[in-house]
Amino acid sequence: MSALPNPVAESAAVLRDWLAPFDRVFVLTGAGCSTNSGIPDYRDADGQWKRTPPVTYQAFTGDPRVNARYWARSFIGWPRIDEARPNGVHHALAGWETRGGVSMLLTQNVDGLHQRAGSRHVIDLHGRLDGVVCLQCKAESTRAELQSRLAAANPEWANLDAGTAPDGDADLEGHDFTRFTVPACEACGGMLKPDVVFFGENVPRDRAVRAGEALKASDAMLVVGSSLMVYSGFRFARMAHEARIPLAILNRGRTRADELAALKIEEEAGAVLLAALS
């Protein structure tokens, strides 16, 4: 009796062959890379929202109730980001970089797991959750420091439990968020914000330019674990297509760039990458 086909092994072989001619691959990663680390993603296989879309910059800065709700949920959700560990995707890409195959890793994730796995040539397109910035004086601090201040100001919230949501959020409902105290900047009293790009906010220009230059200096582009429904990520797939840089996508479900890709693989990213890059 012949053995049943192994979809992961077959997909890995296809990806390995596709990557073989290229020495410098620009890699773009998304939320699908971190789901096996216990961090949920936002979208389903069709690229649609699984839950209410994230808070906008305008609401976060303009409505004190939204601001308090954000920080209360983040207070509960942050430890799960802090305790998350890299999975097979992160380790496979870090090992590939060590061997010289990755020109740049551009991630839409804000969890820092690529760096924890050992990747060094990383651009955090949407920033990092482990940093905090004051919107008034631009003073920077760590999320760990703010977590301690949040705990001191809100001891009655410390033992609450809630379901894990994407990007350090938590499904904390049925509480009066007006009773949650949000600390201000210790330097100037200004509003604090996680050092990430919110919806309704632009990616810093220098960050986008640096990523674009890295893409242009690459032989190919590989998208891993992203539907590319957000334009800030999709733009790089479009740039690759316009520059005739070959594009491959490894993602379960539809992406915005499917029609631009020379190769599309819909299998579990970690298993495929570990087999293809070993």
Side-chain angles (χ1 to χ4, degrees):
M1 178 182 295
S2 60
L4 292 175
N6 183 332
V8 169
E10 292 178 355
S11 295
V14 170
L15 180 59
R16 187 186 305 112
D17 290 344
W18 190 87
L19 291 171
F22 308 120
D23 296 321
R24 295 174 52 79
V25 179
F26 181 92
V27 180
L28 186 152
T29 67
C33 291
S34 294
T35 52
N36 283 350
S37 294
I39 301 174
D41 55 2
Y42 285 107
R43 298 180 186 270
D44 61 21
D46 293 322
Q48 302 300 315
W49 293 109
K50 293 180 179 180
R51 56 177 66 235
T52 303
V55 64
T56 65
Y57 177 81
Q58 291 75 15
F60 178 87
T61 57
D63 188 335
R65 294 169 300 177
V66 172
N67 187 282
R69 179 178 181 271
Y70 175 90
W71 282 118
R73 291 167 61 113
S74 177
F75 175 60
I76 303 300
W78 163 250
R80 297 161 191 177
I81 295 289
D82 192 38
E83 294 165 5
R85 294 295 176 260
N87 61 53
V89 174
H90 306 105
H91 289 300
L93 292 174
W96 191 22
E97 179 193 282
T98 299
R99 297 191 298 274
V102 177
S103 60
M104 182 62 71
L105 196 161
L106 176 67
T107 183
Q108 298 173 103
N109 298 337
V110 293
D111 51 41
L113 290 178
H114 285 298
Q115 290 90 335
R116 292 192 205 182
S119 290
R120 294 291 174 262
H121 301 298
V122 181
I123 297 175
D124 296 294
L125 185 64
H126 296 151
R128 289 271 295 270
L129 271 178
D130 56 5
V132 176
V133 63
C134 173
L135 294 179
Q136 183 167 304
C137 72
K138 308 305 178 184
E140 298 179 354
S141 56
T142 69
R143 184 64 179 78
E145 291 170 338
L146 181 58
Q147 188 73 0
S148 296
R149 296 182 65 202
L150 288 167
N154 302 278
E156 69 277 16
W157 294 71
N159 295 321
L160 296 181
D161 193 18
T164 302
D167 289 345
D169 192 10
D171 290 323
L172 189 65
E173 303 301 338
H175 295 276
D176 181 4
F177 295 109
T178 63
R179 298 172 63 87
F180 190 85
T181 300
V182 181
C185 173
E186 292 183 299
C188 74
M191 178 181 289
L192 297 176
K193 173 182 170 290
D195 197 10
V196 300
V197 178
F198 277 36
F199 275 77
E201 191 178 10
N202 294 323
V203 171
R205 176 173 171 74
D206 61 338
R207 197 177 298 168
V209 168
R210 189 157 57 98
E213 291 174 347
L215 174 59
K216 291 176 183 178
S218 302
D219 304 320
M221 176 175 176
L222 173 65
V223 174
V224 183
S226 175
S227 65
L228 299 174
M229 293 300 172
V230 178
Y231 181 75
S232 59
F234 170 71
R235 66 184 294 192
F236 293 98
R238 194 178 70 172
M239 287 171 58
H241 179 71
E242 292 173 351
R244 297 187 178 183
I245 296 172
L247 169 67
I249 298 175
L250 173 57
N251 184 68
R252 278 183 167 169
R254 185 173 70 91
T255 85
R256 193 174 177 181
D258 284 351
E259 295 182 355
L260 307 181
L263 175 66
K264 171 70 181 299
I265 295 175
E266 296 197 38
E267 288 292 342
E268 202 281 309
V272 171
L273 284 177
L274 285 170
L277 301 177
S278 60

